[in-house]
């Protein structure tokens, strides 16, 4: 089964009386193949006639020309009519000329237009042109124009099976457009296989249809496989291109350079992509205001750019463009749509603010502060209420004393000139101020084109007013010697009337006088010494004594000032040594630095002379002085004095011989640093002594701890004896308690202990708590219990009777029943031990 329609057949633009076929007959030629188009007898203007394959003929052609002005040829080979054409019975032809302007090569295609009255429903296989050499049951592409005018049913093609030579074949089809939506759009004649379309088709809704053709015998036998048929709906330029927005709005700054991008417009077209029907061209067809022309549009991209740099917002702040988009690559017969583009001109600071006047005159009363005295206005053509319009004012000249300031009123953009520091009419009656103005935003044009700042002059007249007395300068000084006699008079504080520059009629009163040294004359303001002046007093700072004066006029207006009395120094104080306690660590130091000071002025002070002041030669023998500088000397010991405290009197004289004696308490100590040795009173004798170092204190504490251990041992022994009493030998009661000081020589003391016995002896020979007769060594002293009333430490050692705690081990000891308690023994021994300890310490 095969198609009976001619190759390249197009259907869809037929008149009711004529059945139109479009056939392309290819005839071999030297250059390109000739083309024959079967068309209706009437062709309307701007209608598609058919397509010619230009690329097959001449790929590199860049120029297309038609020999007949009634036909226009596009780049894709589409042939359009430019006018309405009525074809006669004869053929009509024209030539398509293809040329390459670069290599001057040319080729021609001859196009023949024919029309016929009808198309046979049944084709004879004997027609030579339409005869198929191959098997006829095969897919044959088929197409039809969208929106075809008919007549309907419209013949598309014929399907035919080779088995029809041997069988009776019935043809049928299925698929979209037949038994699927859109239903009943296509049908096939059962006996002939002719395929028809029943109504127009919109390509934007259905681009193609995939049908399945069947060939069967009357008894249901299927000699052929199902045949797929593709029916492509060819596009017609029936959709207008549409802009994506009804109105475009863009903004560009004024004075932009040529070629600056304003914005881009865009349009869409529902026709078939990548065809002439969707090849769009953009253009500007109108501008308001019409001149000068300042914008251009890229035809392919729709980008709008500037063609001039003379955009001036102050002249025209908005332009309106009428823009057009047209398909068919902008050909005159293409469909077109228009839109509106509004271009706003953005403001830049290309206009400076200028004062409306170049000079101003205003006035202000003297002594007035924080008041507005003038408002100035400026003109600026830039956009209102933007940084390009808002003004910044500044004072250029005439404000050296800081009396004025100028600020901007944010609502009116005016400059407000204010007085921030009072003016004095008596000093200056008129002030001329120069002010300038600029914008908040920097000026956009070149600085050389014009001045970057507008200026104006303001004359400020100062008005006089009746003022009270003026204390100027607020601090005044007088000089008085510190030894001035009581009752002496000196100049005081002076206030004056600013109008008359006179002090007459002004009364004075003392407000503050820390020590009450002076009085103030009410009429003249002079001062009188009331008490003796002392420059070295604690209330004096830097030799100046300050009092506060109140000045008032007859109307009660007042002012206050300070009178500084400069006390001139006299040499009334001798130099002295402020540091009276001196420590010298003999192992590390041989001298100490002595510094003297003089409360008087330096002119009455150093250099100082130091000397030892003593009626005895002992001081001269032990100490010597060595000058270091004008205010210090070095005190050194000599002849190796003993550790202890010494009083060293030193006389210090200033340059004029005025002197004083300072007695220094010098401590010689066995120490490394001064902090290791400080003197304190002796707790036993009440005299002075050296405070022990940390190691000596630690040794004493350890000795005390050991003594408590011994007492604890005795208590333990007493508790054991109460359980198992033993008899102490009679000779034990005759033992003596010997206290010996091992740190220094002294007499051994023997105390009889016949008056008491103890029951703190252990019950067994295991030596749990130590036995009587043991020797105890604590802190350098030895306490022993010795047999016999007159036995000493040495005799005991010679006789071999020296006992220790360890010597109590082994043997049984019997102890006599106790006649005294442990507390009585403790109260008896402790005072005597303390007394001996004191004697050994002082020795």
């Amino acid at each position: 089964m095969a198609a009976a329609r001619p190759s390249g057949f197009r259907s869809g633009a037929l008149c009711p009386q004529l059945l139109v076929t479009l056939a392309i007959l290819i005839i071999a030629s030297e250059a390109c193949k000739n083309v024959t188009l079967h068309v209706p007898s009437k062709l309307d203007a701007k209608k598609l006639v058919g397509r010619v394959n230009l690329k097959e003929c001449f790929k590199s052609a860049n120029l297309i020309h038609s020999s007949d002005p009634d036909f226009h040829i596009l780049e894709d080979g589409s042939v359009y009519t430019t006018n309405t054409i009525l074809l006669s019975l004869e053929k009509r032809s024209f030539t398509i000329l293809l040329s390459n302007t670069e290599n001057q090569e040319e080729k021609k295609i001859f196009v023949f237009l024919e029309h016929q009255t009808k198309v046979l429903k049944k084709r004879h296989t004997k027609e030579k042109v339409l005869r198929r050499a191959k098997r006829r049951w095969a897919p044959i592409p088929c197409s039809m124009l969208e929106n075809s005018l008919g007549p309907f049913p419209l013949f598309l093609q014929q399907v035919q099976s080779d088995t029809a030579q041997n069988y009776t074949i019935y043809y049928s089809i299925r698929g979209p457009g037949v038994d699927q939506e859109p239903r009943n759009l296509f049908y096939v004649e059962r006996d002939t296989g002719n395929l028809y379309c029943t109504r127009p088709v919109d390509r934007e809704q259905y681009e193609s249809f995939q049908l399945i053709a069947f060939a069967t015998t009357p008894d249901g036998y299927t000699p052929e496989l199902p045949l797929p048929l593709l029916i492509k709906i060819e596009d017609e330029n029936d959709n207008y291109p549409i802009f994506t927005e009804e109105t475009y709005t863009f903004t560009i700054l004024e004075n932009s350079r040529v070629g600056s991008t304003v914005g881009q417009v865009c349009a869409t077209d529902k026709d078939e992509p990548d065809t002439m029907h969707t090849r769009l061209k953009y253009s500007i067809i109108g501008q308001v205001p019409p001149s000068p022309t300042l914008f251009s549009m890229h035809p392919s991209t729709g980008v709008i750019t500037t063609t001039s740099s003379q955009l001036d917002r102050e002249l025209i702040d908005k332009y309106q463009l009428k823009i057009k988009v047209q398909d068919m690559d902008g050909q005159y017969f293409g469909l077109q749509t228009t839109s509106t583009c509004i271009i706003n001109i953005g403001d830049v600071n290309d206009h400076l603010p200028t004062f409306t006047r170049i000079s101003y005159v205003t006035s202000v009363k003297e002594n007035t502060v924080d008041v507005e005295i003038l408002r100035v206005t400026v003109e600026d053509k830039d956009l209102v209420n933007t940084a390009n319009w808002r003004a910044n004012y500044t004072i250029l000249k005439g404000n050296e004393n800081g009396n004025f300031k100028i600020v901007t009123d944010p609502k009116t953009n005016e400059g407000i000139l204010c007085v921030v520091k009072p003016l004095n009419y008596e000093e200056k009656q008129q002030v001329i101020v120069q002010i300038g103005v600029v914008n908040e935003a920097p000026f956009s044009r070149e600085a050389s084109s014009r001045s970057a700042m507008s200026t104006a002059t303001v004359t400020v007249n100062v008005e006089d007013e009746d003022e009270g007395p003026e204390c100027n300068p607020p601090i005044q000084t007088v000089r008085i010697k510190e030894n001035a006699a009581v009752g002496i008079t000196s100049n005081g504080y002076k206030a004056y009337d600013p109008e008359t520059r006179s002090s007459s009629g002004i009364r004075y009163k003392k407000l503050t006088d820390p020590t009450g040294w002076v009085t103030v004359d009410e009429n003249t303001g002079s001062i009188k010494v009331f008490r003796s002046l002392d420059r070295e007093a604690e209330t004096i700072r830097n030799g100046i004594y300050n009092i506060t004066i109140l000045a008032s006029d007859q109307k009660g207006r007042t002012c206050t000032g300070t009178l500084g009395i400069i006390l001139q120094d006299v040499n009334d104080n001798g130099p002295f040594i402020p540091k009276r306690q001196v420590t010298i660590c003999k192992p590390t130091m041989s001298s100490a630095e002595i510094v003297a000071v003089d409360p008087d002025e330096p002119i009455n002070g150093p250099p100082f002379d130091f000397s030892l002041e003593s009626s005895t030669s002992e001081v001269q023998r032990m100490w010597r002085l060595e000058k270091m500088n004008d205010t210090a000397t070095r005190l050194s010991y000599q002849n190796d004095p003993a550790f202890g405290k010494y009083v060293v009197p030193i006389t210090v004289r200033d340059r004029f011989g005025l002197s004083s004696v300072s007695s220094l308490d010098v401590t010689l100590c066995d120490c490394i640093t001064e902090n290791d040795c400080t003197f304190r009173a002796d707790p036993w004798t009440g005299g002075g002594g050296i405070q022990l170092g940390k190691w000596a204190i630690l040794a004493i504490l350890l000795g005390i701890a050991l003594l408590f251990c011994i007492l604890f041992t005795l208590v333990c022994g007493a508790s054991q004896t109460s359980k198992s009493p033993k008899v102490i030998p009679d000779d034990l009661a005759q033992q003596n308690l010997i206290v010996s000081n091992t740190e220094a020589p002294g007499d051994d003391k023997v105390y009889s202990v016949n008056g008491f016995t103890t029951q703190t002896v252990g019950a067994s020979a295991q030596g749990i708590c130590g036995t009587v007769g043991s020797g105890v060594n604590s802190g350098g002293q030895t306490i022993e219990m010795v047999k016999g009333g007159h036995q000493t430490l040495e005799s005991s050692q010679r006789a071999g009777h020296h006992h220790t705690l360890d010597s109590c081990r082994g043997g049984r000891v019997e102890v006599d029943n106790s006649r005294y308690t442990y507390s009585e023994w403790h109260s008896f021994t402790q005072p005597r031990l303390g007394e001996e300890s004191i004697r050994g310490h002082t020795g």
Side-chain angles (χ1 to χ4, degrees):
M1 183 165 58
R5 58 168 285 182
S7 176
F9 177 81
R10 296 180 59 87
S11 60
L14 301 178
C15 296
Q17 294 84 9
L18 297 177
L19 183 61
V20 179
T21 64
L22 180 61
I24 301 176
L25 301 178
I26 302 174
I27 303 175
S29 64
E30 180 181 0
C32 296
K33 299 176 182 179
N34 295 340
V35 177
T36 299
L37 300 177
H38 291 270
V39 297
S41 60
K42 180 180 179 182
L43 297 175
D44 295 329
K46 299 181 181 180
K47 290 296 182 180
L48 175 66
V49 178
R51 286 193 179 92
V52 179
N53 192 345
L54 303 181
K55 299 297 182 181
E56 183 180 3
C57 175
F58 194 4
K59 290 184 178 181
S60 60
N62 56 17
L63 183 62
I64 305 173
H65 180 69
S66 173
S67 63
D68 191 337
D70 289 335
F71 298 94
H72 180 73
I73 314 301
L74 302 184
E75 293 180 1
D76 63 347
S78 299
V79 180
Y80 280 85
T81 58
T82 58
N83 301 303
T84 302
I85 299 175
L86 295 175
L87 297 179
S88 61
L89 296 178
E90 299 179 356
K91 294 182 179 180
R92 182 168 179 172
S93 64
F94 62 92
T95 303
I96 299 176
L97 179 63
L98 305 176
S99 61
N100 188 324
T101 57
E102 296 179 359
N103 54 19
Q104 304 300 322
E105 184 179 358
E106 294 184 355
K107 291 187 178 180
K108 296 181 180 180
I109 298 178
F110 296 98
V111 180
F112 298 95
L113 301 178
E114 294 182 353
H115 71 91
Q116 59 186 40
T117 57
K118 72 175 187 177
V119 177
L120 297 178
K121 288 186 178 181
K122 190 171 182 179
R123 303 287 181 179
H124 297 284
T125 58
K126 295 182 180 181
E127 294 181 78
K128 294 182 180 181
V129 176
L130 302 178
R131 180 176 298 172
R132 294 175 58 91
K134 298 181 180 180
R135 189 172 184 275
R136 289 176 291 177
W137 185 255
I140 300 175
C142 176
S143 64
M144 64 174 291
L145 282 174
E146 67 169 329
N147 304 321
S148 175
L149 299 179
F152 296 101
L154 178 66
F155 174 75
L156 299 180
Q157 68 173 4
Q158 184 182 34
V159 293
Q160 191 174 17
S161 174
D162 293 337
T163 60
Q165 298 177 0
N166 302 320
Y167 302 97
T168 300
I169 297 299
Y170 293 157
Y171 299 97
S172 62
I173 56 174
R174 293 180 184 176
V178 182
D179 56 352
Q180 300 176 24
E181 292 297 333
R183 297 178 182 273
N184 303 320
L185 180 61
F186 303 103
Y187 73 91
V188 65
E189 290 183 345
R190 188 186 69 169
D191 298 327
T192 63
N194 290 335
L195 181 63
Y196 292 93
C197 179
T198 61
R199 59 184 183 270
V201 181
D202 185 3
R203 189 206 66 85
E204 285 69 44
Q205 187 176 6
Y206 303 102
E207 293 184 358
S208 62
F209 294 92
Q210 186 75 38
L211 305 181
I212 303 297
F214 301 93
T216 60
T217 59
D219 56 0
Y221 172 67
T222 305
E224 299 281 6
L225 293 174
L227 178 67
L229 294 177
L230 178 64
I231 301 176
K232 186 177 184 302
I233 308 302
E234 295 197 6
D235 184 47
E236 182 184 27
N237 191 22
D238 59 340
N239 289 280
Y240 286 82
I242 303 298
F243 281 104
T244 56
E245 297 182 21
E246 293 183 1
T247 301
Y248 292 89
T249 302
F250 302 113
T251 299
I252 187 171
L253 295 178
E254 60 179 329
N255 303 323
S256 295
R257 296 180 178 180
V258 175
S260 299
T261 299
V262 178
Q264 184 178 16
V265 299
C266 184
T268 59
D269 196 321
K270 294 182 180 180
D271 289 323
E272 186 175 0
D274 301 324
T275 65
M276 294 295 292
H277 298 162
T278 55
R279 186 175 295 181
L280 307 180
K281 290 290 184 181
Y282 300 91
S283 60
I284 299 174
I285 59 177
Q287 173 182 302
V288 178
S291 62
T293 301
L294 301 175
F295 306 98
S296 65
M297 177 178 286
H298 192 281
S300 300
T301 63
V303 174
I304 302 174
T305 57
T306 59
T307 59
S308 173
S309 61
Q310 301 304 314
L311 292 173
D312 190 348
R313 189 204 65 85
E314 287 71 38
L315 294 178
I316 302 175
D317 61 354
K318 182 172 67 175
Y319 291 87
Q320 181 172 314
L321 304 181
K322 186 176 183 180
I323 56 177
K324 180 186 75 172
V325 61
Q326 188 171 19
D327 59 16
M328 301 303 293
D329 202 22
Q331 301 290 339
Y332 66 93
F333 49 82
L335 302 179
Q336 64 182 20
T337 304
T338 60
S339 182
T340 301
C341 179
I342 297 175
I343 301 177
N344 295 314
I345 308 302
D347 184 48
V348 297
N349 190 19
D350 56 345
H351 292 85
L352 289 172
T354 56
F355 286 103
T356 56
R357 297 169 55 185
I358 61 173
S359 63
Y360 300 86
V361 178
T362 185
S363 61
V364 61
K365 289 185 177 181
E366 64 173 334
N367 302 320
T368 305
V369 68
D370 294 330
V371 293
E372 174 185 325
I373 62 173
L374 180 67
R375 281 181 174 256
V376 296
T377 57
V378 294
E379 292 179 348
D380 196 325
K381 296 180 180 179
D382 291 316
L383 188 60
V384 177
N385 293 326
T386 64
N388 301 329
W389 175 81
R390 288 190 289 268
N392 276 343
Y393 298 90
T394 184
I395 300 176
L396 302 176
K397 295 180 182 179
N399 194 33
E400 289 75 12
N401 295 327
N403 298 102
F404 306 96
K405 77 172 182 179
I406 188 168
V407 295
T408 304
D409 188 326
K411 296 181 179 180
T412 63
N413 210 34
E414 293 176 317
I416 305 173
L417 184 63
C418 303
V419 175
V420 295
K421 183 178 178 181
L423 296 166
N424 193 335
Y425 175 82
E426 287 71 30
E427 293 180 358
K428 186 177 289 187
Q429 291 76 40
Q430 187 181 78
V431 180
I432 299 177
V433 177
Q434 185 182 38
I435 58 176
V437 62
V438 294
N439 290 124
E440 288 184 1
F443 190 55
S444 63
R445 293 183 178 178
E446 295 295 334
S448 60
S449 62
R450 54 181 294 189
S451 174
M453 179 180 291
S454 174
T455 61
T457 301
V458 180
T459 301
V460 180
N461 295 317
V462 182
E463 298 178 354
D464 185 28
E465 66 175 3
D466 188 11
E467 303 172 89
E470 184 172 323
C471 294
N472 190 23
I475 299 177
Q476 301 176 20
T477 60
V478 295
R479 292 180 177 270
I480 303 178
K481 288 187 177 182
E482 64 173 326
N483 62 351
V486 174
I488 191 172
T489 303
S490 176
N491 293 331
Y493 194 90
K494 288 294 182 182
Y496 61 92
D497 188 333
E499 278 76 25
T500 63
R501 309 304 296 178
S502 173
S503 298
S504 61
I506 297 178
R507 299 291 181 265
Y508 300 92
K509 180 181 179 181
K510 182 176 66 173
L511 291 180
T512 61
D513 183 2
T515 56
W517 282 349
V518 297
T519 59
V520 177
D521 187 275
E522 181 182 5
N523 297 318
T524 63
S526 61
I527 61 173
K528 179 185 294 186
V529 177
F530 182 69
R531 291 189 178 94
S532 297
L533 305 178
D534 186 3
R535 181 185 171 279
E536 289 73 36
E538 294 182 357
T539 57
I540 303 301
R541 295 292 181 269
N542 299 321
I544 300 177
Y545 180 66
N546 293 320
I547 63 174
T548 305
I549 304 297
L550 175 68
S552 60
D553 61 8
Q554 295 177 354
K555 295 183 179 180
R557 293 171 294 191
T558 63
C559 69
T560 58
T562 300
L563 179 62
I565 302 174
I566 302 175
L567 298 176
Q568 295 177 321
D569 185 44
V570 295
N571 192 15
D572 57 347
N573 292 279
F576 66 95
I577 300 173
K579 183 179 180 183
R580 302 298 180 92
Q581 304 293 330
V582 179
T583 300
I584 300 177
C585 293
K586 288 185 66 177
T588 59
M589 301 168 59
S590 62
S591 62
E593 181 179 343
I594 308 300
V595 178
V597 296
D598 193 332
D600 294 325
E601 288 284 348
I603 192 173
N604 296 320
F608 298 143
D609 178 63
F610 297 86
S611 63
L612 294 173
E613 180 70 23
S614 179
S615 59
T616 63
S617 61
E618 184 68 17
V619 175
Q620 302 290 340
R621 184 184 67 82
M622 294 179 59
W623 307 98
R624 73 174 184 270
L625 296 175
E626 181 181 354
K627 184 175 182 179
M628 295 179 61
N629 52 43
D630 289 348
T631 60
T633 187
R634 188 181 304 279
L635 175 64
S636 305
Y637 63 84
Q638 56 189 1
N639 298 323
D640 192 21
F643 294 113
K645 264 194 173 184
Y646 301 90
V647 177
V648 181
I650 298 178
T651 301
V652 188
R653 293 179 176 84
D654 61 18
R655 64 170 62 191
F656 296 107
L658 188 61
S659 64
S660 67
V661 178
S662 299
S663 295
L664 305 184
D665 294 329
V666 182
T667 301
L668 291 179
C669 183
D670 185 8
C671 58
I672 303 301
T673 62
E674 294 183 16
N675 294 331
D676 294 337
C677 180
T678 57
F679 274 70
R680 65 179 181 179
D682 193 325
W684 306 107
T685 64
I690 300 178
Q691 182 179 357
L692 297 178
K694 56 184 179 181
W695 295 110
I697 294 174
L698 181 60
I700 293 174
L701 293 177
L702 290 176
I704 294 173
L706 185 56
L707 179 59
F708 276 104
C709 290
I710 295 171
L711 295 178
F712 179 73
T713 302
L714 295 176
V715 173
C716 291
S719 62
Q720 293 296 328
T721 304
S722 63
K723 296 180 180 179
S724 179
K726 297 297 179 178
V727 179
I728 300 176
D730 293 337
D731 59 350
L732 185 60
Q734 300 300 324
Q735 291 180 352
N736 294 321
L737 178 63
I738 301 174
V739 180
S740 176
N741 190 335
T742 60
E743 291 184 346
D747 296 334
D748 293 336
K749 303 297 181 179
V750 179
Y751 298 92
S752 175
V753 292
N754 292 335
F756 71 90
T757 58
T758 179
Q759 57 181 0
T760 60
V761 181
S764 66
Q766 302 302 318
I768 297 174
C769 294
T771 60
V772 177
S774 63
V776 180
N777 191 323
S778 175
Q781 295 181 348
T782 302
I783 303 175
E784 296 188 359
M785 299 300 294
V786 184
K787 292 182 179 181
H790 303 284
Q791 191 173 7
T792 64
L793 176 63
E794 290 80 1
S795 62
S796 175
Q797 290 177 345
R798 287 195 298 268
H801 294 149
H802 187 274
H803 302 283
T804 64
L805 290 178
D806 293 335
S807 66
C808 69
R809 296 176 183 174
R812 295 176 61 86
V813 179
E814 293 184 358
V815 185
D816 193 7
N817 291 334
S818 88
R819 290 173 296 186
Y820 294 92
T821 64
Y822 171 77
S823 61
E824 292 174 324
W825 175 84
H826 184 270
S827 63
F828 178 81
T829 57
Q830 285 302 309
R832 289 162 177 76
L833 289 174
E835 179 181 357
E836 190 65 18
S837 187
I838 293 171
R839 293 177 181 176
H841 182 69
T842 58

